[in-house]
Amino acid sequence: MPSLIIDCDPGCDDAIAILLALKHSDLKAITTVSGNVPLAQTTENALMTIALAKAQTPVYAGASRPLESTPTQTNISHGSDGLGGIERLSHDRTCESYSARDYLLNHVSNEDWVIALGPLTNLGEVLQQDPDWGKRIGGISIMGGSTTTGNISPVAEFNSYTDPHAAAKVYASGAKLIMCGLNLTHQLLVTDSTMTAVLELGTQQSTFVAALLNFLLQRIERSVGTRSAPLHDPCAVLAVTHPSLFDFEELSVEVETEGDLTRGMTVVDQRTTRPRLMPNTLVAKQINVALALQVITDSFVEA
Ligand code: BDR
Ligand code: CA
């Protein structure tokens, strides 16, 4: 099983990704960042998810604001508590005293993959401190960006928009990179039948996941009228734990930090009529949706 660290901002799909990683990897640690909701809430949500899974994974709190840009408003897509207002589990877990930055800087080895599911601020802080860090670790699998359209703006995805300077540092870091952008995650659509299949597992975890899926389906139904929602963050876990589910292409990815209209845009060189820039990222282009949904659904059978 691969050895992973999850850097995240839970977030409904982050919480599902954590449970998926607990099932299919050796999950060494979780680091949290401000994103979908403020840092204190993303950290509490990570702790609650770990408690629900009865896991001992340590949680390290990280950055509460982007490296350079002004903080954006938090993401209303996950509700004010980040987990869709579903019933909360009371628990006694607390985060470690060490910071996320120091944990990542000092404890990630060349066999570990970092799965980055939120704004890339923690990783940006590490690279500010040690520009060679990315070359010393196994790699980074990112949910963020897009080879096509954005979500928070016409061209930018929420995570890379929120901290474009950190994202730019990560893509320039020389680390082995996988990008699961919106072009990919919008293929992995969950529906009521996914939610029912999860619920029927009848475990505490599956009840929790089904409630999160229900929130995501209700939210999308209100905004676009269909009950079919993309499940973003689990894609970046599966890209490392189940790479055979994906088609990848090696491409150059850079991030726009300053543009008035293009802040946070991932500029992906897919030109066909000129030589392309040197590739730095394995960009996920296709996912086997049926198999991926099966892996996800089968992951919540315990606890
Ligand atoms: C990303 O933004 C967040 O809302 C999700 O958790 C995901 O990481 C999708 O743009
Ligand atoms: Ca996220």
Side-chain angles (χ1 to χ4, degrees):
M1 292 217 284
S3 173
L4 306 183
I5 291 96
I6 288 192
D7 184 68
C8 60
D9 62 336
C12 302
D13 55 338
D14 302 73
I16 297 171
I18 289 171
L19 296 175
L20 190 63
L22 282 167
K23 180 81 182 175
H24 298 286
S25 73
D26 170 17
L27 183 59
K28 282 175 62 175
I30 293 174
T31 53
T32 57
V33 64
S34 170
N36 284 320
V37 281
L39 179 69
Q41 188 70 59
T42 61
T43 305
E44 163 54 28
N45 292 347
L47 290 165
M48 191 184 90
T49 305
I50 286 299
L52 178 105
K54 300 182 173 56
Q56 299 305 322
T57 316
V59 175
Y60 300 86
S64 60
R65 49 171 299 135
L67 283 191
E68 293 181 34
S69 40
T70 40
T72 48
Q73 287 188 331
T74 52
N75 191 348
I76 51 160
S77 310
H78 300 257
S80 59
D81 74 343
L83 294 179
I86 68 168
E87 192 180 338
R88 300 192 72 89
L89 175 82
S90 66
H91 66 89
D92 58 2
R93 306 299 180 96
T94 53
C95 65
E96 308 297 312
S97 52
Y98 218 47
S99 72
R101 186 199 59 187
D102 289 346
Y103 175 81
L104 291 165
L105 199 51
N106 297 317
H107 294 281
V108 183
S109 80
N110 60 5
E111 301 200 332
D112 300 330
W113 274 78
V114 176
I115 312 293
L117 308 178
L120 292 166
T121 317
N122 289 335
L123 279 56
E125 285 187 357
V126 170
L127 289 164
Q128 272 179 335
Q129 191 108 350
D130 177 1
D132 286 331
W133 175 78
K135 298 175 194 139
R136 295 195 279 103
I137 66 172
I140 306 170
S141 177
I142 301 163
M143 189 286 124
S146 176
T147 66
T148 54
T149 54
N151 54 9
I152 192 84
S153 85
V155 296
E157 180 279 330
F158 173 78
N159 291 334
S160 56
Y161 179 89
T162 301
D163 196 338
H165 297 89
K169 278 188 195 306
V170 170
Y171 281 98
S173 67
K176 190 169 177 186
L177 298 176
I178 294 175
M179 173 177 137
C180 293
L182 297 176
N183 56 292
L184 186 279
T185 63
H186 276 257
Q187 295 169 33
L188 188 66
L189 297 173
V190 293
T191 60
D192 282 307
S193 76
T194 326
M195 186 182 71
T196 306
V198 170
L199 194 56
E200 281 174 355
L201 296 172
T203 64
Q204 194 185 10
Q205 270 192 41
S206 74
T207 307
F208 174 71
V209 171
L212 295 173
L213 293 178
N214 189 40
F215 172 80
L216 293 174
L217 290 170
Q218 281 176 347
R219 192 204 71 210
I220 201 116
E221 187 176 24
R222 276 197 302 276
S223 65
V224 296
T226 60
R227 284 181 65 88
S228 169
L231 200 53
H232 305 286
D233 290 340
C235 292
V237 174
L238 291 175
V240 176
T241 60
H242 296 72
S244 62
L245 295 177
F246 295 80
D247 289 339
F248 297 101
E249 187 176 2
E250 273 196 286
L251 294 168
S252 161
V253 182
E254 295 172 288
V255 181
E256 176 59 74
T257 53
E258 305 299 343
D260 287 339
L261 298 174
T262 52
R263 165 181 165 165
M265 178 181 182
T266 41
V267 179
V268 183
D269 192 353
Q270 301 180 87
R271 288 176 291 180
T272 54
T273 55
R274 301 267 172 114
R276 293 177 179 174
L277 298 171
M278 184 77 84
N280 61 351
T281 304
L282 214 46
V283 176
K285 288 287 193 81
Q286 298 285 336
I287 181 167
N288 183 329
V289 176
L291 279 183
L293 286 177
Q294 195 63 55
V295 171
I296 292 169
T297 307
D298 289 346
S299 295
F300 311 119
V301 285
E302 285 164 13

